[in-house]
Amino acid sequence: MRTLNLGILAHVDAGKTSLTERLLFAAGVIDEIGSVDDGSTQTDSLALERQRGITIKSAVVSFVIEDVTVNLIDTPGHPDFIAEVERVLSVLDGAVLVISAVEGVQAQTRVLMRTLRRLRIPTLLFVNKIDRAGARDAAVLAAIEQKLTPAIAAMGSACRLGTRGAGFTPYQEGDAGFTARMADVLAARDDELLAAYVNDEAALSYRRLRHELAAQTRRAQVHPVFFGSAVTGAGVDALTAGIRELLPAAQGDADGPVSGTVFKVERGPAGEKIAFARLFSGTVRARDRLRFGRDRTAKVTAIRVFDRGSAVPRASVAAGQIGKLWGLKDVQIGDTLGVPPATSPGRQFAPPTLETVVVPCRPADKGALHVALAQLAEQDPLINLRQDDVRQEILVSLYGEVQKEVVQATLADDFGIDAGFRETTTICIERPAGSGSAVEMIGVKPNPFLAGIGLRVDPGGAGSGVEFRLEIELGALPFSFLKAVEETAREALGQGIYGWQVTDCVVTVTHSGYWPRQSHAHGTFDKSMSSTAGDFRNLTPLVLMTALARAGTRVYEPWQRFRLEAPADALTPLLALLSRLDAAARTRDLQRWSCVLEGEVPAARVRELEQQLPVLTRGEGVLEGAFDGYRPVRGEIWSRPRSDHNPLNRKEYLLHVQRGVPGRGPARARGERRGTMLPTPDSS
Ligand SMILES: Nc1nc2c(ncn2[C@@H]2O[C@H](COP(=O)(O)OP(=O)(O)OP(=O)(O)O)[C@@H](O)[C@H]2O)c(=O)[nH]1
Ligand SMILES: [Mg+2]
């Protein structure tokens, strides 16, 4: 039995969950087809998903097609939940990208397809909703070719579009048109096939082409396209056969060393953590001690493996499979199990660009609110819970308003906490404006720590994150001290000169000094003469902040790319609005009745645009948007400090560290924060 871990991806409402339900029915896993509209599907199982009719969390189900066990992961399509899609990408062997035959290729479809192609994930395309009024086939196929990829192979034809009787007929052997189109697409990507094609077109057998189609699909070079309807079931059998024939099986040696990735974390009924993991290699058995994340270990207490429907208790989970693991108490999303997988797709989509303060309606709920948000952050790390100690407020990062509503409803439904939000603001970043260095030598006043460090901060490329380099000789500093410097430096960069995360920079260790472990004659360790990792943890933020202040930083805000379709008579007021919003807009297409505008706008102004659009376009305007990187904030004060940033407190904190006040260093702060390192004023 082969295993295939398959993701279903699409823009919102394309029909992913309905198609999942259909596939489960076709495979005999369920006797009755559930409906998103009635809240009765297998994968939209959360109460909130059923109420709202949208998918919020990715969900795994499994079914069997002949000799293949398919673990299917249904993902959310709303851009506010893109983080759920990102986490799933690292565990897929293949994907089905769903496109609505009515709405066609959307901005989100393009974002997803680009990512699938970049990661070389073999992908089939399914054009859904052919039964709905307004469904198109040739136009959608042309849009796919133009906007997603030219390397497509339509696998059949749709008929009676826009009616309940809409159907899909797969092309068969003997269909000359299909064979010729397949040969064209495939020969363009395979020299041997091209040579054979040029020599004698007729000699290329249908079998050979079909075989080559599977090979190129598995290499993510070509994307077969199917049509159908998740509601009537049209085309679903052909898609099922395509999944089996054209997508690759999971690879991996069950006897090799354990290697896997955790892509989802859930809490069980008793509050216990459950990790969803895909194994790439090896076998994990119940009661095994398992290494995960960065140097953590725990005993696996129970395992469930996805098999014919849901997850069933098993003694082990092996390479290729997806398992639910109990017992890994501190596990986090994104943790690796055992040996880290050779490749990790890393960050594919933009981080959240909004943040908001969460306020409990009843002040007495403050503690409970923090606990509840911490649990939500386990399941969605990008929420990035932060505590502002100065203002005694809790902040979360968000993608958008729908996610905000979902957080609010989850707090009310699952935790019994009524909470509100302050105004949503954008999250900026800081990048070094130049280079800056600082050095503190060991034993030289006023350095109070038994550690010597020199650090230089240089600008890095856009999107490069934080890179850590050494200009000292390897071995000049014990590894544990070096690790302490790197960890503390990364933490300290969480808050730059203006209070934003510092990124796209290179931190280089230029000097180091330490005093080796000293003991008295009777063998006791003498701290007053020996450097410890704590000395390095305390000194690093001081040196780094001095270097950063010398380099100077500049604040950048997120921008969005947009595409706006509107009636032609709305063009003038729209251009005036866009200019007021500091947007750069270009008229792409001006017809008699309609116009298309494209451009970029600061993310902070998008909400205003969304609010004004219906008024200016009589409700006919359609706005699509996607993250477009960071640009320097504009206006008189070009470096905008974060709202809760108080440089005086940061200075006070650094002074505390410098004076070596016990318990006030980053080591303690690290346990308390995910955002600020400031001491609370009343405890100083
Ligand atoms: N007529 C018709 N309606 C469909 C079809 N597939 C889905 N729908 C409807 O489209 C709506 C959205 O379907 P879902 O299956 O929830 O779509 P989704 O892609 O899972 O949505 P999100 O997970 O929220 O992104 C529901 O009202 C479905 O009943 C189809 O093939 N034909
Ligand atoms: Mg869904």
Side-chain angles (χ1 to χ4, degrees):
M1 201 72 155
R2 295 183 287 146
T3 303
L4 164 69
N5 296 301
L6 178 72
I8 298 222
L9 279 70
H11 65 78
V12 71
D13 266 359
K16 299 172 289 294
T17 303
S18 308
L19 180 62
T20 302
E21 203 68 16
R22 262 290 159 189
L23 290 167
L24 289 175
F25 179 76
V29 170
I30 50 175
D31 300 330
E32 240 178 274
I33 300 172
S35 144
V36 175
D37 310 295
D38 303 340
S40 55
T41 61
Q42 298 293 307
T43 47
D44 279 358
S45 57
L46 301 176
L48 208 53
E49 293 181 316
R50 297 187 164 199
Q51 279 160 25
R52 292 186 159 239
I54 60 165
T55 304
I56 295 167
K57 298 258 167 219
S58 56
V60 190
V61 284
S62 94
F63 57 91
V64 174
I65 315 174
E66 295 178 31
D67 57 341
V68 183
T69 296
V70 180
N71 292 323
L72 186 155
I73 310 183
D74 178 21
T75 64
H78 195 286
D80 279 13
F81 308 112
I82 191 78
E84 286 286 313
V85 182
E86 179 161 280
R87 294 192 260 280
V88 160
L89 289 172
S90 63
V91 306
L92 298 182
D93 303 306
V96 173
L97 182 71
V98 183
I99 298 158
S100 160
V102 182
E103 283 83 18
V105 172
Q106 306 264 298
Q108 188 73 353
T109 323
R110 286 202 289 255
V111 170
L112 294 169
M113 188 66 188
R114 245 198 327 264
T115 310
L116 289 164
R117 291 185 72 196
R118 190 168 50 231
L119 297 174
R120 303 195 149 276
I121 295 176
T123 301
L124 308 182
L125 306 179
F126 185 72
V127 181
N128 188 32
K129 303 198 184 183
I130 57 167
D131 62 301
R132 247 188 64 191
R136 295 157 307 156
D137 53 355
V140 175
L141 212 50
I144 292 172
E145 209 165 0
Q146 196 194 343
K147 297 178 178 173
L148 299 182
T149 166
I152 55 170
M155 299 301 288
S157 64
C159 59
R160 296 183 297 281
L161 272 96
T163 68
R164 282 295 284 189
F168 176 75
T169 315
Y171 296 130
Q172 304 287 344
E173 184 167 3
D175 185 322
F178 175 50
T179 313
R181 284 193 302 277
M182 226 180 1
D184 271 354
V185 170
L186 298 173
R189 286 157 190 87
D190 188 291
D191 290 344
E192 215 176 289
L193 198 72
L194 180 64
Y197 186 44
V198 172
N199 276 344
D200 182 5
E201 196 178 326
L204 279 185
S205 70
Y206 183 79
R207 251 179 83 103
R208 172 146 185 219
L209 284 173
R210 204 75 206 196
H211 186 264
E212 188 61 28
L213 176 70
Q216 292 198 17
T217 305
R218 286 173 189 164
R219 292 199 297 267
Q221 288 175 313
V222 165
H223 304 284
V225 184
F226 297 84
F227 288 80
S229 163
V231 162
T232 67
V236 172
D237 285 348
L239 177 68
T240 307
I243 290 171
R244 186 189 156 273
E245 179 197 346
L246 303 168
L247 292 176
Q251 306 288 328
D253 176 7
D255 297 323
V258 169
S259 176
T261 298
V262 175
F263 63 95
K264 177 178 164 114
V265 171
E266 217 176 56
R267 290 238 173 207
E272 75 279 17
K273 263 194 186 180
I274 308 164
F276 287 64
R278 150 127 201 216
L279 276 204
F280 294 97
S281 159
T283 302
V284 174
R285 295 174 186 81
R287 288 184 294 281
D288 274 358
R289 259 205 110 68
L290 189 60
R291 198 159 72 85
F292 62 98
R294 260 206 224 163
D295 301 333
R296 278 165 289 156
T297 54
K299 194 154 121 186
V300 178
T301 53
I303 294 175
R304 283 177 180 234
V305 172
F306 285 87
D307 189 17
R308 281 162 224 266
S310 52
V312 290
R314 284 285 155 80
S316 65
V317 51
Q321 293 178 317
I322 288 178
K324 287 168 77 168
L325 307 180
W326 277 256
L328 310 179
K329 210 162 71 45
D330 303 320
V331 76
Q332 290 173 353
I333 288 180
D335 276 353
T336 53
L337 303 181
V339 186
T343 54
S344 147
R347 175 61 62 80
Q348 295 299 323
F349 304 113
T353 55
L354 303 172
E355 71 177 353
T356 183
V357 173
V358 194
V359 192
C361 297
R362 289 181 298 271
D365 280 347
K366 195 158 198 173
L369 175 66
H370 198 288
V371 172
L373 286 171
Q375 278 204 20
L376 294 188
E378 277 171 3
Q379 293 164 26
D380 185 354
L382 293 183
I383 279 186
N384 191 23
L385 185 63
R386 299 192 308 118
Q387 165 100 29
D388 174 1
D389 290 336
V390 180
R391 296 189 187 184
Q392 297 283 308
E393 287 177 339
I394 306 169
L395 293 102
V396 290
S397 303
L398 293 173
Y399 276 100
E401 295 300 315
V402 174
Q403 190 190 9
K404 192 156 109 179
E405 287 167 22
V406 164
V407 169
Q408 189 171 32
T410 309
L411 288 172
D413 298 348
D414 296 1
F415 299 93
I417 300 169
D418 287 327
F421 298 91
R422 293 260 172 75
E423 197 187 337
T424 308
T425 51
T426 43
I427 303 174
C428 298
I429 56 165
E430 283 179 47
R431 287 177 176 146
S435 298
S437 313
V439 183
E440 287 287 342
M441 305 297 265
I442 189 164
V444 177
K445 283 197 170 166
N447 179 2
F449 305 112
L450 294 189
I453 310 169
L455 295 175
R456 191 178 65 244
V457 176
D458 297 300
S464 61
V466 175
E467 204 186 317
F468 194 75
R469 287 188 196 156
L470 298 184
E471 257 175 31
I472 53 170
E473 282 197 21
L474 210 61
L477 201 60
F479 179 68
S480 60
F481 295 173
L482 203 56
K483 215 165 121 190
V485 174
E486 176 170 357
E487 279 178 14
T488 329
R490 287 185 185 278
E491 256 168 46
L493 289 174
Q495 209 180 59
I497 295 169
Y498 299 96
W500 304 103
Q501 172 118 33
V502 183
T503 184
D504 300 344
C505 65
V506 183
V507 177
T508 307
V509 183
T510 54
H511 298 77
S512 67
Y514 74 102
W515 287 350
R517 191 182 165 85
Q518 306 282 326
S519 309
H520 292 291
H522 43 88
T524 52
F525 168 63
D526 187 348
K527 164 71 194 94
S528 69
M529 295 163 15
S530 317
S531 300
T532 65
D535 290 308
F536 284 89
R537 287 191 185 281
N538 281 325
L539 184 61
T540 300
L542 298 172
V543 177
L544 184 69
M545 282 304 138
T546 309
L548 193 66
R550 288 179 181 154
T553 63
R554 187 148 193 195
V555 180
Y556 291 72
E557 66 177 326
W559 278 59
Q560 287 233 1
R561 204 169 40 245
F562 69 84
R563 182 175 186 281
L564 209 170
E565 270 183 56
D569 60 0
L571 180 62
T572 311
L574 274 177
L575 285 172
L577 170 68
L578 288 165
S579 144
R580 245 192 352 268
L581 299 178
D582 293 328
R586 295 169 291 280
T587 310
R588 264 274 162 259
D589 190 15
L590 182 58
Q591 307 279 339
R592 184 151 173 226
W593 302 115
S594 68
C595 64
V596 176
L597 288 169
E598 283 181 359
E600 300 85 37
V601 57
R605 315 300 295 274
V606 170
R607 199 156 157 66
E608 245 172 288
L609 179 58
E610 284 168 350
Q611 283 169 343
Q612 297 283 323
L613 196 63
V615 186
L616 295 183
T617 63
R618 299 184 298 279
E620 290 177 36
V622 180
L623 180 71
E624 294 174 9
F627 178 69
D628 192 47
Y630 292 92
R631 300 188 187 181
V633 299
R634 297 199 281 189
E636 278 171 32
I637 314 167
W638 54 262
S639 287
R640 187 165 61 209
R642 192 172 205 152
S643 59
D644 61 335
H645 178 51
N646 185 341
L648 286 180
N649 272 287
R650 180 148 181 101
K651 210 161 165 187
E652 188 186 317
Y653 161 78
L654 290 173
L655 282 172
H656 269 297
V657 174
Q658 196 160 27
R659 288 189 207 119
V661 178
R664 300 306 306 263
R668 199 195 111 184
R670 206 177 39 256
E672 295 172 345
R673 72 165 208 134
R674 282 191 50 153
T676 172
M677 301 206 309
L678 305 180
T680 51
D682 57 352
S683 60
S684 51

